[in-house]
Amino acid sequence: MLLCHLASRSLAPRLSDAVRARPPSSRPLVEMVRYNSDMAKFREVFSEAKHIAIITGAGVSAESGIPTFRGAGGLWRKWKAQDLATPEAFSRDPSRVWEFYHHRREVALSKIPNPAHYAIAECEARLSKQGRSVVVITQNIDELHTRAGSKHVLEIHGNLFKTRCISCGSIKANHKSPICPALLGKGAPDPETSDARIPVNDLPRCEDSGCNGLLRPDVVWFGETLDSNVLTQVEKELDMCDLCLVVGTSSVVYPAAMFGPQVASRRIPVVEFNTNITPKTTYFTHHIRGPCGTTLPLALARHESEVI
């Protein structure tokens, strides 16, 4: 997902508290790692939680076949995401950037939620009948959580299927495929593919009366700050939660990387679900290793103590 350079005044002090809580680096790693992969122990914690915050990253979408555009081979044509997902890139070549996002939209539309998405959605629906809550705080922009049935989703990096007019600022949902006729058949990721060089007037345009401004994807690009309203909601949920899950995220993209440690600094259980250890694993109460599509359905299934 997109890296965002943000220093939130309300969140940053809490991060410093979490950093101070980190075990001294001089201690052996085996002593630093305070995680427990015992599913049964997590299940007991889960059974008592009333307000659960689930932070999800690219690993969840990757299990549905969504490319991450990160690491070796993570290119669209010859470009890295960092080369395309910026206001400057859009200003220089909106046709190329729209081809990139058209490709991403078409890929996302062709994929379906995986068992991790469905486990989260089912858990939310079930616990809501018990007076308990689940919120998804996602770095992903593909809407797969919503398509799986999750109702309470905070998209901190925006949404592939929303557009924003650069002239009037109007934000609207848009699931057209293609989003405009000129992009039909465009956006192939192969390095040999030439840019389509679509005239700017043929790119997606605002349909509000009298506007016709150029549209851009309503996602957070490199160099942009996150939506302050969304961050306020995230902070409220993190303050309220009594259990936090960090699922399928490498915990290197800020500010989301500090959400889990922020909760852990309040001595709230934080559980990491990942195929690997991450830079933030040492902060957390439990670490459950494996594909989230395998581990989450087990972790979030109905507990024997549930009466509804």
Side-chain angles (χ1 to χ4, degrees):
M1 289 295 93
L2 303 178
L3 177 64
C4 308
H5 302 290
L6 174 72
S8 170
R9 293 181 180 179
S10 58
L11 292 174
R14 300 164 185 253
L15 176 61
S16 63
D17 292 340
V19 169
R20 286 195 291 271
R22 175 188 280 183
S25 59
S26 59
R27 294 174 61 182
L29 180 61
V30 68
E31 295 180 23
M32 291 172 61
V33 178
R34 299 181 57 196
Y35 66 84
N36 191 318
S37 60
D38 186 343
M39 180 70 78
K41 292 183 179 180
F42 164 75
R43 293 281 292 162
E44 289 305 311
V45 174
F46 168 72
S47 71
E48 299 173 358
K50 303 298 183 185
H51 304 287
I52 303 171
I54 304 179
I55 302 165
T56 66
V60 179
S61 292
E63 291 187 29
S64 286
I66 303 288
T68 63
F69 293 104
R70 294 187 309 194
L75 300 177
W76 177 82
R77 296 179 184 168
K78 62 180 180 179
W79 309 99
K80 298 178 182 178
Q82 299 94 313
D83 299 323
L84 301 167
T86 71
E88 295 78 15
F90 189 70
S91 178
R92 286 193 305 268
D93 197 334
S95 173
R96 177 186 294 154
V97 173
W98 259 121
E99 277 201 88
F100 174 57
Y101 280 97
H102 169 65
H103 169 70
R104 297 186 70 177
R105 284 166 57 96
E106 295 299 302
V107 169
L109 286 172
S110 73
K111 305 303 180 182
I112 62 173
N114 64 60
H117 294 107
Y118 286 119
I120 293 170
E122 190 279 332
C123 180
E124 177 189 0
R126 189 180 78 247
L127 296 191
S128 68
K129 298 176 183 177
Q130 305 170 23
R132 303 160 70 188
S133 68
V134 174
V135 60
V136 178
I137 301 169
T138 187
Q139 301 170 74
N140 301 331
I141 61 176
D142 49 43
E143 278 194 348
L144 288 179
H145 282 297
T146 301
R147 287 167 55 190
S150 290
K151 305 299 184 185
H152 194 183
V153 181
L154 299 177
E155 298 169 316
I156 64 172
H157 290 164
N159 187 317
L160 269 177
F161 299 101
K162 291 182 179 179
T163 59
R164 187 193 321 159
C165 178
I166 66 173
S167 296
C168 72
S170 175
I171 298 174
K172 292 185 177 180
N174 188 315
H175 293 82
K176 293 179 182 178
S177 174
I179 190 171
C180 69
L183 282 166
L184 179 64
K186 308 300 182 185
D190 308 293
E192 299 80 13
T193 304
S194 300
D195 289 349
R197 303 292 182 188
I198 299 169
V200 67
N201 288 335
D202 293 335
L203 292 172
R205 312 296 297 194
C206 182
E207 296 181 355
D208 283 4
S209 179
C211 183
N212 198 42
L214 179 64
L215 297 179
R216 57 161 282 181
D218 188 36
V219 297
V220 182
W221 281 335
F222 290 88
E224 295 182 326
T225 59
L226 273 64
D227 186 309
S228 60
N229 292 324
V230 174
L231 276 182
T232 297
Q233 295 177 67
V234 168
E235 182 176 5
K236 177 182 177 181
E237 295 293 342
L238 295 181
D239 281 345
M240 184 173 63
C241 76
D242 55 4
L243 173 62
C244 178
L245 280 60
V246 180
V247 183
T249 173
S250 58
S251 293
V252 296
V253 177
Y254 285 82
M258 71 186 184
F259 293 164
Q262 170 187 321
V263 175
S265 72
R266 295 195 292 114
R267 300 187 183 279
I268 297 298
V270 180
V271 185
E272 184 177 56
F273 291 78
N274 209 301
T275 54
N276 297 295
I277 299 298
T278 75
K280 296 296 187 289
T281 299
T282 56
Y283 290 97
F284 303 145
T285 315
H286 301 270
H287 173 92
I288 297 179
R289 185 175 296 194
C292 54
T294 300
T295 57
L296 273 188
L298 296 173
L300 300 181
R302 181 185 299 272
H303 190 268
E304 61 184 10
S305 65
E306 295 181 40
V307 295
I308 298 179

